[in-house]
Structures are given as C-alpha cells and as structure tokens.
Amino acid sequence: MNRYKTISMAFIILFFLSFNGLFAQMGGGHGGHGGHGGNGHQGGNDCDPDSLIPVTVSGTAIVDSSMMHPMYYLDENGDGEADYHLNFGPWWYEPDSGNASRPNDGDFVTIDGGMHDDDSLMGNLPVIIVYQINGEFWRDPFDPSWTHHGGHGGGHHGGHGHTWGWMHDSLQVVTVTGTAMVDSTFIFSHYYLDENNDAVPDYYLNFGPPWYEPPSGAERPNDGDVVTIMGGLFDNNNLPMIIVYEINGQVWRDTTGWGPHMGGRWIYRYMNQASHIQAPFDDDDWMDIEPGWHPGGGGHHGHLPDSLFCQMIQIFPQNAPNSNNENVFAAYEFGLFSPGGVNILWQDHMYGRHIQFANNVDYQLHYNDIQLQGFNIDESTIQVKYWNEQSNSWEVMGNAVVDMVNNTVTITDATVSSLFILTGQQNPLSIDEQSPTLATQFTLEQNYPNPFNPSTTIEFSLQDNAHVVLTIYNVLGQKVVQLLDEAKPAGVYQVKFDAGNLPSGIYFYELKVGDVSMVKKMNLRK
C-alpha cells in the first residue's frame, strides 16, 4: 500500500518551480552554501501564527527518509496513509529546552500544533506546525524571540507569559564569523549562526524586534550568507545567544543607552532605591517602581515573592486580545517573573492578570503622530486601559495625564497589569476636512487594492511643483521604507508598493509635501 497520498508528477514539477525554498533541504537551495542549502522548511513557511487553527491529533508517525533530510507525516485513522504533514521547522532545529525529539517511523505520538488552513501546500495534505509532541515543548509560535535572553520562558501555551530577561549585569562582547541560518517557519524569522561549518547552528542571533531597522542601513542576513557578527554573548544552558551590535562592520544597535538588563530589571522586597525599567527599543516607554512595593507576606500561597524580574515591551495593537470593541492605537505588555521564571501576570494559560503593589508605580507610555493620524485618533480623548480578568473587560485608569507636545501618557497607580492599551475616539472630521487647505496643495488617495497582497498602488496629485516624501510605516509608527524623496512637478502620480517581504498587518503611508503631511492606513493580508 502506498503510504503517501498520490501526487501527480505535473503537480510536483509545478510545486518545485513555485516553492523552491520549501524543499531546499533536498539540496541546493538559494543560499549557495552546500552545507545549508536553504532553511529546510517542510510546508507552511512564513505563516502568521494568528492564522493557524489550534489542533491536537494522535496517530502513527510516518517518516520518509528517502530525501536528504526526513519528511514527517501522521496517520491519524490507522489506514496506513498520511493524513497530515508535520512541520518541525528546519531540519537542524531543536527546542531550546525540554526533552522533545522528532519521532521515529512507526512511533505513536500526540501532536499539539497549528494547522494551516491551506491544504494545497503539501499535495492536499493539511500542514501542522508542531508546538508540542507527547506533551513536550517543541516551539512557541507567539514567542517574541527578541525579548528572550535565556531559555524558553513557557510561552502562551505554558501559561507563564512570554517576556523574559537575564540576571547578568553585563555581557561578554564577542566577534564571530560564520554562515547565517534563517528559520522562517513563521512570519517573523529566527536567525542563527553556524561558526564551524558543520551545518548545525552554534549561536542564536538576536536582532531585536522584526520591525527594528538600524539607522546605519545594515540589513539582516539571508540564509547562507557568510557574516561577521559583533555582539554581547549570553551563554545559557542551551544555545548561546548573541545580542547583535554590529554585522559586517555596520552598526546594528548602539548599546550605550541600554540598561543593564535590556528592557528589564530585578526589584527586591527590601530595596532602598527606585528601579527604572524601560522598553528595549523605545526609551520613552518606561516604568518606575519605588521601594516599599512589596505588600508583605511570604513567597507562596498567592503572595508575592521577595524578588521579581520586571519587563515591558510594546506590542502590535491588533495583538491586544479582546480589543475588537476598543479603538486601540497602541498596546503594551508587562511581565513580572519570579526567580523560578514564572510570570505571575499569566496564570492557567490565560492573559491579563493584574495585581496591586503596596505603593504606586509611575508609568510613561509613548505614541507618535503617525499612529494618531493613521488611526484618525482625536488626541484629546486618549485613555489608558488595563485588562481586568475578574470583570473580563478593559478598565479605564482614571489618573492618566496626556502630554500632547511630547506624545506621552503618564500614569501613577498601584495596579500592575500584563496588558495596557491606549484608546481614543475617532476624529469627527476626516484629515481633509480638518485641513481644508490641503486640498489646494495636494490630494492623497486611498491605496488600491486594499486589502492587498503583495503589492498595491498609492496615488497622489500635486497642484504645484513641490518636494515630495512618501514613506511607509508599520502599525507602531516605525519607518519601514521610503518610496519617494524628490522634487516633483505638478501632476498626478502613481507609486507601486511591493510588500512581498513584509508580514501581514496594518501599515501606514505618509505623504509629505513641503511642511504639510497626510497619513492613510492600508492592510496587507497574506
């Protein structure tokens, strides 16, 4: 009996032509480096984890070892044929903690994972990206690896939350050269370095959040590129991680402004100085915790431990859960970790727990004009809300102070929640109506098509000769690419924007004509 469902030769040829990188594990690949030959994905690569269907399936593993690197399938109904293709990531990938391993042919296994809703990826077999095998952690699709500074922190599936940091006050600065290995199973790629040319990663490379781009113009490597990395080495018990400072001699991140824990810091019950915690990639997002924060009691039975590692990051607004009825334009996640690595703001696989400190915490949350204009927010109506798991709703923090000059919101409150959001009412007037003089200078049309994949057209018109700057931003208001920066005569213009290398989500495009600008929102759906 044929253990694999029949795929026509014509389909195989077309599949190879269309998805060359998908089967790079079979030799060649795009990297030009024989030992790597691409990242070895097994279907469903570059997918958005939010688009995957959570599933748990049990069955017999089928391992096809006829290729350079094995392909994995699952027979769920015991008929001897594959019902699912199992994606364990690149052939060289191993989880950073736990005892999980790939199955042998004939093993009975239980798989927890995310199923791709496009069953045409692997010859009409549904693809499951593996999160757990037999209850052992394999990978966390929602884990923001750029905040990982040592080991797997439990993730959303483990109920511990996903921000984490290190206890070290300094890092060893190292310079290493090797071949880049890129795991693009998910929409945000993970980067590794093979230093000794054995086709196995020796370091994990932390380039920061996927939206971060350095002012120097340095770029992340492609799979198979030979690169020289200078950075801070965090040598944990698993794969050593390098926080990238330079790549091929170009500055990636200026570390002179970083605190000792890169976005996090330990606080202690009997500390005598305030602790300042800031987000790793925006110095204007921070929290100050004063001595006396500990409410008393022991470190068990629901009481706070004597020490906590505190961390904050800014997240995409659309990733704030249960926010469909909220007009969210900025969002933040906070973590409070016990010495054992458990985030006490996450429990029972649920987000949004909040606790009360014995005294107030000072917060500052930063937003920018691109976010305001892109979401058409009336700045005078901005509110800060936190998620209350007891009422199962977003609660307003009533003492927020909005600084419209510096684009910050400050709060003083004893509440520490895992999730904060900034919301605001829509401007009653459109941007055109708010500034009627704009129409006499230029017009900016809505991009078309919208939503789009992967390219769209942006049209604008100039009434007079002018210097024009057209820029694309992500949903955090951070610049992605500049499409135009030049003088233009009066007329109508159409500019094509190709987002083939960008993840799905909301983006903004801003047209500056002289000292006047307009921002519109667009939606990339892959």
Side-chain angles (χ1 to χ4, degrees), residues 59-71:
T60 303
I62 298 175
V63 183
D64 179 4
S65 301
S66 64
M67 302 179 183
M68 180 177 293
H69 301 293
M71 304 284 283

Side-chain angles (χ1 to χ4, degrees), residues 347-388:
Q347 61 178 2
D348 301 326
H349 300 265
M350 296 297 291
Y351 55 82
R353 186 184 179 199
H354 74 283
I355 62 174
Q356 298 294 124
F357 277 176
N359 57 10
N360 286 332
V361 177
D362 294 324
Y363 299 91
Q364 178 173 288
L365 308 177
H366 179 240
Y367 59 91
N368 54 58
D369 290 337
I370 296 297
Q371 291 171 303
L372 290 178
Q373 294 182 52
F375 286 107
N376 196 28
I377 297 295
D378 181 350
E379 194 171 9
S380 66
T381 67
I382 289 177
Q383 291 183 318
V384 181
K385 297 183 179 182
Y386 73 94
W387 180 257
N388 186 328

Side-chain angles (χ1 to χ4, degrees), residues 196-219:
N196 57 12
N197 203 33
D198 63 354
V200 176
D202 299 301
Y203 301 97
Y204 175 79
L205 301 180
N206 189 329
F207 285 93
W211 56 84
Y212 174 74
E213 296 294 340
S216 67
E219 296 181 349

Side-chain angles (χ1 to χ4, degrees), residues 282 284-285 314 329-330 332 364-373 379 382 401-410 422:
D282 188 343
D284 290 326
D285 286 323
Q314 189 175 6
F329 69 94
Y332 310 83
Q364 178 173 288
L365 308 177
H366 179 240
Y367 59 91
N368 54 58
D369 290 337
I370 296 297
Q371 291 171 303
L372 290 178
Q373 294 182 52
E379 194 171 9
I382 289 177
V401 177
V402 179
D403 182 342
M404 297 185 188
V405 176
N406 296 307
N407 289 1
T408 60
V409 182
T410 54
L422 295 184

